[in-house]
Amino acid sequence: MPDYTTELAVMRQMMGSRDGLVVFSERLALVNGIALTDPVALVARLRENKWLHGYCDPALWPALAPHFGADFKVDTTYDRKRVDDYAFGITRAVGAIAETGTIVLNDATTSRRLGALTPWVHIAVVERAKIFSDLPEAVAGLGQDTNVIWVTGPSKTADVEGILIEGVHGPGIQIALVV
Amino acid sequence: MRFQQIDQFAAELKADTRAAVYDGSKKGHEKRTKLLFDEYADPDRLRRIAGEVKQHVVENLDTYLPQVEAKLKANGVIVHWAATAEAANQAVLGIMRARGATKMVKAKTMVSEETELAHFLEKHGMEALETDLGEFIVQIDGDHPSHIVKPIIHKNRREIATSFEKNGLGAYNDDPQTITRRARHFLRHKYLEADVGLTGANFVSAESGRLVLVTNEGNSRFCLAATKCHIAMVGIEKIVPRDYDLALFLNLLARSGTAQELTVYTEFISGPKSPTQPDGPEEMHVIFVDNGRTEVLASDCRDILRCIRCGACLNVCPVYRQASGHAYRSVYPGPVGAVLSPLMMGNKFPQKADLPKASSLCGACHEVCPVNIPIPDLLLRLRNRAKEENVPSPGTPPMGAWAVLASQPTAWRASLFGGKIINYLPTKLLPIPALRAWEAKRSLPAWRGGEFRKWLKTRKGRADFSPPASSRAEAKKAD
Ligand code: SF4
């Protein structure tokens, strides 16, 4: 069994002494994801695109509600039968990975797996202090949860003639709201 | 038959298909190389170490498998062992029947392609729907995947639009975005109606029992968010020793497979859903499938079991690019398939003994392989096996006469001189198949037999020439 340090698997010149949030935002943008730090900007973007009906984790809603206007309809319960009605879903992330622009979700912090997956827009609320620098660090921090999923940008395919299309089964827009 | 089957297939391939396969595979390869070399100081070291880790696993499967089983059981997973494809399919059917389930949504798994699970379940009255876009298209077309990562690399958008129209998925429209949206809409309701979600696993950590699953489309996540029962079909060689090793393998897999830094969805599953989570499987089964793998393990080609199914060797292979995946008549095409497919045939090896010959041994597959599998060496071993088992090899010129000449210096010298006659013969008319095939595409170079020997004897500095001591010693030993 070969012995090696996980430094081997770290991308060179990615982090340096830079701030995790800066690198995370930059890397997320490269995979066509969006990092925001201001709920006001988030609401403006949703409104601008007429994404007015969505699902929100009940634990997050009290803090976010004041930013949303009366033109929004936000449910804190998710109804499988209405899968096509939700334009956006807001759930909590347990962390993020700077090196790859990844958000980390697990069962404990995600209120509904479907709520994070089925709407066209997924907004993951992630705490700034919980950004890992790289993959080895994130693997070491997997924890005890039985289901951890790393999400790196919107769902995509290149099955048809190698042409990139986003929003296959999961979100076409992936947003991280860093708080 | 004048040609090897694979040559015949390639010769008859539609120009459209060839172009699609060629462009698709080339594009992936070029991006991959750039990513690896830009981002790592020594990407070759990554490959070598990953190869050593997997080789260690392959050689210690007997200790790792029980370890994984114990871990999975402790995590609340029901573990099954299937020696054959049939046994694996029966296990799935048994689980579905026990639950009264009739509908399955399936993520992409190569093992289930090996066992032809979807057909099997349909025969037994179950619905088994492929959800990966490419696999879905293959399924509604009654076709086969032709690449292990890009199943419809051989199809163009017009063919896809036609089959969507035929299958009631909307009027003809060949815009890739429209095709994808239609599949999205159709499939999401299927997930929500399904009883069982089936996936494979890219890696299984022996340390934690975590299954690691990567997709870009999010289909496996949907299977595991919408259904109440998760069945994972896993080849017994999928193990990595520790969680620690996962970062290395995930980095290599995404870059080698699809030239991404990381796949979009990377899921770590160590058991049924958490009690507090409303969505996802309450019951989880892992079926470890052998289906010929222990035979491979017992052979002198066991290195191939390191394979992490990234498809890089397909993309880089000049033969794959020209012949396309279907030419290999196997679930696994390309260089990896040329090794794995004949081996997995067991005693029906002769049926696919031609595949290892479909290679110029250029070595590109070895160079790109993220687990450093010496594919060309393995191909040679399999050619040797075919020879030893006297498998007939159509289209191969007989080498017997050459062997006689090459082992007798006088005869060799005479033939070098005598060969000059070929320069005066109408070669196009000679009834030698190999020669005719050659002449059909290019012309034979002039015979220069003996020139090299002449040059070697008369070249400057000849007096100084003496082989290094070590090679002399070796030559002696060989004598
Ligand atoms: S043999 Fe190597 S390059 Fe080919 S698919 Fe397997 S891991 Fe990838």
Side-chain angles (χ1 to χ4, degrees), chain A residues 45-54 72 87-88 120-121 173 175:
Chain A
R45 200 179 271 260
L46 293 175
R47 184 176 283 128
E48 188 188 313
N49 288 286
K50 302 207 169 51
W51 294 319
L52 297 174
H53 183 191
F72 282 91
F88 61 86
W120 182 250
V121 185
I173 311 282
I175 298 177

Side-chain angles (χ1 to χ4, degrees), chain B residues 459-470:
Chain B
R459 76 201 176 105
K460 266 202 222 124
R462 186 176 160 241
D464 310 332
F465 178 77
S466 62
S470 65

Side-chain angles (χ1 to χ4, degrees), chain B residues 345-364:
Chain B
M345 296 295 285
N347 54 15
K348 295 200 196 99
F349 169 80
Q351 289 177 17
K352 289 186 182 166
D354 60 313
L355 297 181
K357 292 178 191 153
S359 167
S360 64
L361 303 176
C362 71

Side-chain angles (χ1 to χ4, degrees), chain B residues 252-470:
Chain B
L252 281 166
L253 178 59
R255 285 179 177 79
S256 309
T258 44
Q260 288 170 280
E261 283 166 354
L262 190 62
T263 32
V264 177
Y265 297 97
T266 309
E267 200 163 359
F268 303 83
I269 308 150
S270 53
K273 73 173 183 67
S274 312
T276 52
Q277 173 58 242
D279 298 322
E282 289 154 352
E283 185 177 311
M284 179 174 168
H285 299 262
V286 172
I287 305 172
F288 282 108
V289 183
D290 182 331
N291 195 29
R293 286 165 173 77
T294 40
E295 294 230 17
V296 180
L297 190 64
S299 75
D300 57 355
C301 293
R302 60 166 61 165
D303 299 23
I304 199 70
L305 291 176
R306 290 184 219 157
C307 173
I308 58 172
R309 307 285 189 265
C310 73
C313 59
L314 279 63
N315 295 339
V316 78
C317 177
V319 176
Y320 175 86
R321 286 181 183 178
Q322 293 297 330
S324 97
H326 289 160
Y328 293 78
R329 318 189 302 280
S330 312
V331 171
Y332 300 107
V336 57
V339 178
L340 199 52
S341 306
L343 281 168
M344 287 177 64
M345 296 295 285
N347 54 15
K348 295 200 196 99
F349 169 80
Q351 289 177 17
K352 289 186 182 166
D354 60 313
L355 297 181
K357 292 178 191 153
S359 167
S360 64
L361 303 176
C362 71
C365 46
H366 182 189
E367 210 168 277
V368 299
C369 178
V371 282
N372 199 26
I373 301 175
I375 297 177
D377 292 352
L378 305 184
L379 292 172
L380 284 174
R381 283 178 208 165
L382 290 174
R383 289 182 187 185
N384 189 39
R385 174 170 164 194
K387 181 81 189 159
E388 273 168 8
E389 294 184 14
N390 291 318
V391 183
S393 177
T396 309
M399 302 299 279
W402 185 86
V404 169
L405 292 178
S407 49
Q408 297 175 19
T410 345
W412 182 251
R413 270 197 298 275
S415 64
L416 283 181
F417 180 76
K420 288 220 166 88
I421 191 170
I422 206 149
N423 293 343
Y424 306 100
L425 286 177
T427 44
K428 280 201 171 54
L429 301 179
L430 290 180
I432 303 170
L435 201 58
R436 294 194 109 163
W438 174 279
E439 288 262 352
K441 302 250 187 231
R442 54 218 132 175
S443 48
L444 210 59
W447 181 274
R448 289 155 51 94
E451 296 285 324
F452 175 74
R453 298 177 149 235
K454 233 189 270 166
W455 169 82
L456 190 71
K457 274 192 199 135
T458 56
R459 76 201 176 105
K460 266 202 222 124
R462 186 176 160 241
D464 310 332
F465 178 77
S466 62
S470 65

Side-chain angles (χ1 to χ4, degrees), chain B residues 41-105:
Chain B
D42 188 358
D44 269 338
R45 180 132 183 271
L46 251 68
R47 295 189 320 118
R48 277 198 314 273
I49 289 185
E52 286 168 29
V53 173
K54 272 312 280 273
Q55 186 70 18
H56 162 82
V57 168
V58 166
E59 290 182 1
N60 294 283
L61 271 182
D62 51 338
T63 48
Y64 278 122
L65 286 170
Q67 192 183 328
V68 166
E69 179 179 30
K71 204 73 218 176
L72 285 169
K73 282 185 172 161
N75 293 347
V77 178
I78 304 160
V79 180
H80 310 251
W81 297 95
T84 61
E86 172 70 18
N89 289 345
Q90 287 291 354
V92 176
L93 185 65
I95 296 165
M96 288 184 75
R97 284 195 173 143
R99 290 185 62 88
T102 56
K103 290 179 179 160
M104 166 188 286
V105 276

